[in-house]
Amino acid sequence: MKFHLTGREKSELFGEGIVTIILLLLLNMSVFLIIDQLIDMNPGVENGIFQIKMSLSFGPQHIQFWSWGWAFTALMLIADAFILYWRLIRRYRQMQLRHVIVELHYIASGHFDHRIPFTLPGEMQRVVESVNALVDSTIRSLEEERAIERSKDELITNVSHDIRTPLTSIIGYLGLIEDKQYKSEEDLLKYTHTAFLKSKQMKSLVDDLFEYTKVRQTGVELETIQIDLNAMLEQLGASFELEASKKGMEVQVDVDDGALMFDADPEKLARVFNNLVSNALKYGHGGKHIYLSAKKVSNREVEAIVANDGEPIPKSDLTQIFERFYRVEGSRSKETGGTGLGLAIALGIVELHHGYIYATSDEKLTKFVMHFPVHHQDTLKAPESIMKKMANTK
């Protein structure tokens, strides 16, 4: 929308022009009178002006000044026109600025959905665009701050709920022991064993919560070194072999011969793979295999995959599984004893490595695919198709 002056402002601008013209006329008359007096008082000046006039001629016809007064008048009119234009333009810009200030006061009074609607010529338009951009940025910051506050409240609520459940059991069984409400040593051992298991569950939640908050803090630095991803996966497969066999599953590692080197924090990266393999063991019901694989995608990128052939994750849950405390309904329920923070921690650690992670799932395989830069100073950007899948995981 173009900028338009109000009727009052137009009258104000017209009045400014009239006053300026009157002042200029008075100034011109004063200058002419002063010059006439100087010439009358100094005949030599008049003779000099006459000689100059006679020596000046213009064009092929040698036209001469017939009066110095006309030349001076023309110069004065040019100067007057410039001064009049300058004063009107200055007042017009003041009016533009006044409109911008009024709009700013309106926005500042709480109308944050409002933007300066008009366009202005020249540099003033840059001011308008900057103001609108600043308001947009402020609104985004406010929304992010509100989202953070809501997130903190949800975090406290979820943590309180998840801690209260095992804590209630611990207090209950220890209370039975305290009141000697057991019939035999077997009952006593049963109560203490249950309290012990619930204590371990609560410690697992606290450890995961600590790790989650740590990887989400700004300014977290990784202790990166060159590590061999193939060797790490081989070691990981061996460490989970016994646990997998107890659940009737087999860990298969598919890596190339030789080293696959890249920059990473080995402790934190091991946490990612531990979480993903543990998830496969807990939630991969009906599955017989857990597959670990890695390959070099390019000179600046490596890929690692943790997959299982258990029950698939519903498509409606794929975009949310990396959210903290999120648990897939059905077989992947809270009954498995998970804290709901494992995948959120994995996401945070992968992003700290300047990589990205996403999940796919069908009747054959559920895959967690990770991409890492070979050199830590590089940053990988997920393809647009994957970004859409990850849109709701932040």
Side-chain angles (χ1 to χ4, degrees), residues 118-348:
F118 46 77
T119 57
L120 300 174
E123 292 294 320
M124 286 299 295
Q125 181 58 29
R126 294 181 60 185
V127 174
V128 171
E129 291 172 355
S130 298
V131 169
N132 286 338
L134 178 61
V135 175
D136 289 336
S137 176
T138 302
I139 295 303
R140 284 195 298 271
S141 297
L142 289 174
E143 290 174 350
E144 289 173 1
E145 186 176 345
R146 294 191 189 104
I148 290 172
E149 289 299 322
R150 289 194 300 269
S151 181
K152 288 179 180 178
D153 292 340
E154 292 172 4
L155 180 62
I156 293 172
T157 300
N158 286 321
V159 170
S160 300
H161 178 270
D162 281 13
I163 288 180
R164 184 175 59 185
T165 301
L167 188 60
T168 301
S169 297
I170 293 170
I171 293 173
Y173 283 107
L174 292 181
L176 292 175
I177 297 173
E178 178 75 15
D179 297 336
K180 296 182 171 53
Q181 295 183 19
Y182 53 88
K183 298 179 181 179
S184 63
E185 184 178 349
E186 183 179 351
D187 287 342
L188 179 62
L189 292 174
K190 177 183 176 182
Y191 295 164
T192 54
H193 179 67
T194 303
F196 174 71
L197 293 179
K198 294 297 181 180
S199 299
K200 287 181 64 178
Q201 181 182 342
M202 192 163 63
K203 181 180 183 300
S204 175
L205 173 62
V206 172
D207 290 343
D208 282 351
L209 180 63
F210 175 75
E211 185 67 26
Y212 173 78
T213 54
K214 189 165 64 173
V215 300
R216 283 297 176 184
Q217 288 176 351
T218 56
V220 175
E221 294 185 1
L222 299 178
E223 297 180 5
T224 59
I225 59 172
Q226 277 272 306
I227 68 169
D228 182 358
L229 183 57
N230 290 343
M232 175 175 277
L233 293 185
E234 292 278 8
Q235 184 179 356
L236 184 73
S239 65
F240 276 96
E241 185 176 354
L242 179 61
E243 186 177 351
S245 64
K246 290 180 180 179
K247 293 181 176 289
M249 301 182 77
E250 180 185 358
V251 181
Q252 295 186 1
V253 181
D254 180 18
V255 295
D256 296 331
D257 294 333
L260 180 56
M261 307 300 294
F262 77 112
D263 295 339
D265 184 322
E267 181 181 348
K268 292 192 181 303
L269 192 63
R271 180 65 183 266
V272 172
F273 288 115
N274 283 332
N275 286 356
L276 294 177
V277 174
S278 296
N279 269 19
L281 291 172
K282 288 178 183 178
Y283 306 128
H285 302 304
K288 298 298 181 182
H289 301 89
I290 296 175
Y291 302 99
L292 306 178
S293 62
K295 65 179 180 180
K296 193 170 187 178
V297 178
S298 67
N299 290 331
R300 59 185 300 270
E301 183 177 355
V302 297
E303 178 188 79
I305 298 177
V306 177
N308 70 84
D309 55 2
E311 292 181 3
I313 301 173
K315 289 184 178 181
S316 59
D317 294 307
L318 276 177
T319 58
Q320 304 176 66
I321 58 175
F322 291 101
E323 294 179 1
R324 65 180 183 221
F325 295 109
Y326 186 82
R327 296 183 178 90
V328 179
E329 297 297 331
S331 62
R332 297 170 184 261
S333 68
K334 192 174 177 180
E335 297 302 318
T336 57
T339 63
L341 287 171
L343 293 180
I345 292 170
L347 172 66

